[in-house]
Structure formats: structure tokens, C-alpha cells
Amino acid sequence: LDANVCSLLHDATILHADLDAFFAAVEQRDDPALRGRPVVVGAGVVLAASYEARAFGVRSAMGGKLARQLCPHAVVVSPRMSAYVDASKAVFEVFEDTTPLVEGISIDEAFLDVRGLARISGTPLQIADDLRRTVREQVGLPITVGVARTKSLAKICSALAKPDGLLLVPADAEAVFLHALPVERLWGVGPVTARRLRAVGLERVGQVAALGEPALVALLGRGTGRKLHALAHNRDLRRVRARRRRRSIGAQHALGRRQRTPAELDAVLVGLVDRVAGRMRKAQRVARTVVLRVRFDDFARATRSHTLAQATAETPALLATARALLGALDPLIERRGITLLGVSLSNLADTPSGQLGLGFADERARALDATLDSIRERYGNSAITRAVLLGRAERASLPQLPD
DNA sequence: TCTGGGGTCCTAGGACCC
DNA sequence: TCTGGGGTCCTAGGACCC
């Protein structure tokens, strides 16, 4: 596809940029001895595999044992997260230099909207080409870019163009391109949905597109059915949005198959809550909902959650809640065994300005919280709003609020 | 495939409110 | 007495993504 075609159509303006085998590529960049050799990052579970390792069937999320069987001569390295974070920052700087409209999806991929940059930077195809070269020159990593009119299709393009590739689908070629693909290529179709589709003979996106929305809804449910129908026709109105805020923060820990005593379990829980609460305070955010996640011996899962009356990032309050949730699951854990424990916090808000440094709440804040609790007990939640306002006024040494 | 750690979004029922 | 229409929030589970 040449740049002239692209500029004529000029509507494939969303880029999806995706680093190739990111963790493994950083390791190969930093250690020349690893270049050209199969590299596996992560021992217990494969976090990333270089393309040389993938040639032997090694995939990320695969168990380390199987990976070693498939590729015995692979170099296994333990992850260096800080190196990856640094590399990611450097790459995102290149993104930000390309266009102000950058939406990070994960540590190694982002959407970029390059509409309206024709006079400054050229066509989307030229921009994508420059971006790839700049990342290679400045950061030393291979990156693949997909270009299309929608996020969904741009993402599909980058997946197909990997590794170290560039693929643009012009608007008038969308249907032909999309409809020939297997259904798994659609962003949002995982193993379960793919199985359901294949069970009724739907293997290509074109077949899904031809089916019609009602039939798809009947097969997959309303949400998934509608979404899939739209995506199969490349109808995807999602914009590229800069800086989306996190909606939850969590931590989890795999426990293996060994039996755990309640005391061991509690120690793990304390560690998780402490870690998560610390990250919350660092991010100056507070949470109202505590979610406890467990995985049993048979890998089935269960979650329990509790929503607090007031948002907090204080370890003791969060820990008490998490302990209560874990206690409620005790009988199940007793019966079925536990292989993973996780805590995540949602319903997030910014730390109120009067409560900065919540982790070290002073006597006064504690007294105020106690007052709020007693008000709640006596008069119910409806009295709390006014009490909170009064409390803030008091803490900020403001005059009393009018009724 | 035999299993790590971090997320997002959707659904559905029930409690509760006006 | 038996019941409309609209809404929010909470909880639990599930699918999916990197």
C-alpha cells in the first residue's frame, strides 16, 4: 500500500503500536550474547518469549516446565521489571512526540490518533513508518504498527503484521480484509466465545457479519452479541482517549499446592493489603470497595467483596475488611484447598484534600472518624453528608458552614 | 497448556428509593 | 391490597486482555 493511496483516503488515522516480544526484546538489547538465540523471560511461568523461542512453540503464560521441554536450549532469564518500565517510558516519549493523542493500553502497547497531522508529519503511513524507525533508533527495540479507521481494526492489523512490521488497511478494503479472518482475530473473542461460534459453524468474521444481530444475541447474550456484530462490520466508535484513570488497584499471590495454615494465610493477606494500600497512598487515591479473590485447588475461583461507608487507603481499615472477607470464605477454603489469594480495591476516588497523608492519620482525624461512626449509628447514613462537610470545615479551620 | 500477576468491562439479581 | 415505572448501589461471577 503506498502513501498516495493512503493520503487519498486519509481516514485510516488510528495507529496501534505494539512492541514485539517486549520483555525478551529488552533482554536481547541489553545482552548481545542473547541476540539471535531463543530467550524465555520468567521461570515458573513464561512472561515473554523471543521469536526464536516461539519458533519452537513457546508462548507467554505457558508453564516453564513445558517451555523447557519444547525448547531445551532456550536461555531462561528472570524478569527485570525496572528495565522494562524504563524502556516503556522511553517508547511512550516517542509516542507523545508523534501525537498528543496517545492512549496507553499496557506497558508495551498504545493507540495513537494521528488525524490532522498531514501538514506537519505526513500521512498516517509515513507517520507510522517514522515512529517505527525512531523507536528502533532511540530505544533499540522492534515495534509493529497497525493503521486503520477504528481501534479494533488497527489492533488486528498490528497482530497480523508482527514481528517488526507495518500494516495499513484503507477504509474501502475493510470488509474484504476483515471478513476473511478467523473469528479469534476479533478483539474480545476469547476461547469461550470462539468455541460457541465454531459450535454453530461460524469460523470466519464474514460469517459472523452475515448472521445478523438478533441471531448473534441469541447465541452469545445481549452485550457480547451486539459488540461482536458491530466489530464484524468494523463499527467501532471508541475514540483514542489520552490518560485514562485506573479503576482498581490490586495484588495477588499464588500459593502452590501445599497446605496452608490459617496463620500463613493471614500473613500473606497482611502482605497483600499492605502492598496495595501503599500503592494507593502513593497514587493519592482512596477506595471504598475491598474485593477478596481466592482460587481453589481445582482452579475454580470465588470472590467476596465489601463496600465501606467511607473511602480509605489506611492499612488497618482495609486489613480488617479483608480479614472479615477471608473469614467468610474459610469453610470453602477448608473443603477445597486454596492456591491463590488476591486483594483488589475498587470504587476509587482521589484522596480528599483535607486528608492528605492518610496513611499516617493523626489523632484528630481519628477522633473525627469516630464521631462520624457514632453519628451514623444514631442517625443513619443520611446525616453523614452534613457531618463530613462540617468535619472538613473544621479541619481546614474554616468558619462553620451555614445550614 | 497446567496455571503468574496485573487489569477492564459486562451481566444479573436483590435491596432500596421515589 | 396488590401493585407501575424509573432509578441507584452492592455483590458475585464470568469473559477477556497483556
Side-chain angles (χ1 to χ4, degrees):
Chain A
L1 297 163
D2 74 29
N4 292 327
V5 173
C6 178
S7 69
L8 275 174
L9 299 163
H10 80 76
D11 43 6
T13 57
I14 295 179
L15 274 55
H16 180 258
D18 199 343
L19 290 153
D20 304 319
F22 179 44
F23 295 176
V26 172
E27 296 301 335
Q28 289 178 319
R29 178 196 69 177
D30 294 350
D31 182 356
L34 298 180
R35 291 177 199 163
R37 300 180 60 187
V39 174
V40 169
V41 180
V45 142
V46 177
L47 296 177
S50 71
Y51 279 86
E52 295 85 354
R54 291 184 197 199
F56 291 87
V58 181
R59 296 283 178 273
S60 57
M62 180 180 272
K65 215 157 133 191
L66 179 62
R68 278 189 298 278
Q69 281 169 16
L70 290 168
C71 188
H73 58 298
V75 183
V76 179
V77 298
S78 38
R80 295 181 299 137
M81 281 314 294
S82 60
Y84 311 147
V85 169
D86 289 347
S88 173
K89 279 184 185 157
V91 172
F92 271 78
E93 274 174 31
V94 178
F95 293 166
E96 308 278 352
D97 283 346
T98 303
T99 168
L101 220 49
V102 177
E103 176 177 339
I105 297 297
S106 71
I107 192 167
D108 66 351
E109 63 177 304
F111 286 108
L112 291 79
D113 191 332
V114 299
R115 155 185 348 227
L117 294 180
R119 284 176 184 279
I120 311 164
S121 319
T123 65
L125 196 61
Q126 288 164 347
I127 295 173
D129 196 41
D130 289 344
L131 177 69
R132 279 169 30 74
R133 192 172 34 250
T134 310
V135 169
R136 170 69 84 175
E137 284 170 6
Q138 292 188 4
V139 194
L141 294 174
I143 189 166
T144 295
V145 179
V147 191
R149 201 171 49 81
T150 63
K151 278 183 166 181
S152 159
L153 194 54
K155 171 120 173 126
I156 290 172
C157 285
S158 69
L160 289 173
K162 275 178 169 301
D164 204 10
L166 169 56
L167 178 61
L168 179 147
V169 173
D172 64 351
E174 280 172 0
V176 171
F177 178 83
L178 198 54
H179 288 178
L181 298 174
V183 289
E184 287 86 356
R185 284 288 172 186
L186 289 176
W187 194 22
V189 174
V192 177
T193 307
R195 197 173 353 100
R196 281 186 198 154
L197 292 172
R198 286 184 178 275
V200 295
L202 300 170
E203 300 189 351
R204 303 275 154 186
V205 176
Q207 294 174 290
V208 173
L211 190 60
E213 198 185 80
L216 223 43
V217 167
L219 184 65
L220 303 171
R222 202 184 62 195
T224 310
R226 283 184 182 172
K227 191 176 79 177
L228 218 57
H229 185 257
L231 290 185
H233 290 275
N234 197 30
R235 283 198 289 269
D236 178 7
L237 296 177
R238 289 171 297 178
R239 315 293 351 150
V240 176
R241 291 166 55 192
R243 278 203 183 280
R244 302 175 56 200
R245 307 208 69 188
R246 257 196 220 332
R247 299 176 63 87
S248 70
I249 292 182
Q252 58 185 56
H253 188 70
L255 301 168
R257 295 233 166 236
R258 196 159 59 80
Q259 281 275 6
R260 301 285 169 158
T261 67
E264 282 178 302
L265 229 44
D266 188 67
V268 172
L269 187 70
V270 171
L272 289 171
V273 172
D274 189 49
R275 181 147 39 113
V276 171
R279 281 164 58 194
M280 294 280 295
R281 293 194 291 266
K282 200 172 161 197
Q284 302 219 340
R285 307 193 73 182
V286 288
R288 280 186 60 220
T289 302
V290 181
V291 183
L292 192 90
R293 201 180 310 282
V294 306
R295 195 182 65 196
F296 303 110
D297 278 359
D298 60 358
F299 275 74
R301 295 153 201 279
T303 65
R304 291 293 180 272
S305 67
H306 179 74
T307 300
L308 303 160
Q310 220 178 348
T312 180
E314 283 192 85
T315 302
L318 296 172
L319 182 58
T321 307
R323 276 184 169 143
L325 291 170
L326 183 58
L329 277 169
D330 260 352
L332 273 179
I333 293 172
E334 193 92 345
R335 255 210 324 280
R336 308 176 61 178
I338 179 170
T339 55
L340 177 139
L341 187 59
V343 173
S344 83
L345 305 176
S346 56
N347 240 320
L348 303 187
D350 291 314
T351 301
S353 53
Q355 293 176 23
L356 286 180
L358 206 65
F360 327 97
D362 58 20
E363 287 299 316
R364 204 155 169 226
R366 285 183 192 285
L368 200 59
D369 287 344
T371 308
L372 290 180
D373 283 340
S374 73
I375 293 172
R376 188 177 295 117
E377 233 166 65
R378 237 184 270 178
Y379 302 110
N381 260 326
S382 59
I384 290 295
T385 305
R386 180 174 144 76
V388 168
L389 291 176
L390 289 174
R392 285 204 194 141
E394 189 201 356
R395 268 184 273 195
S397 308
L398 294 174
Q400 280 249 320
L401 296 172
D403 281 348

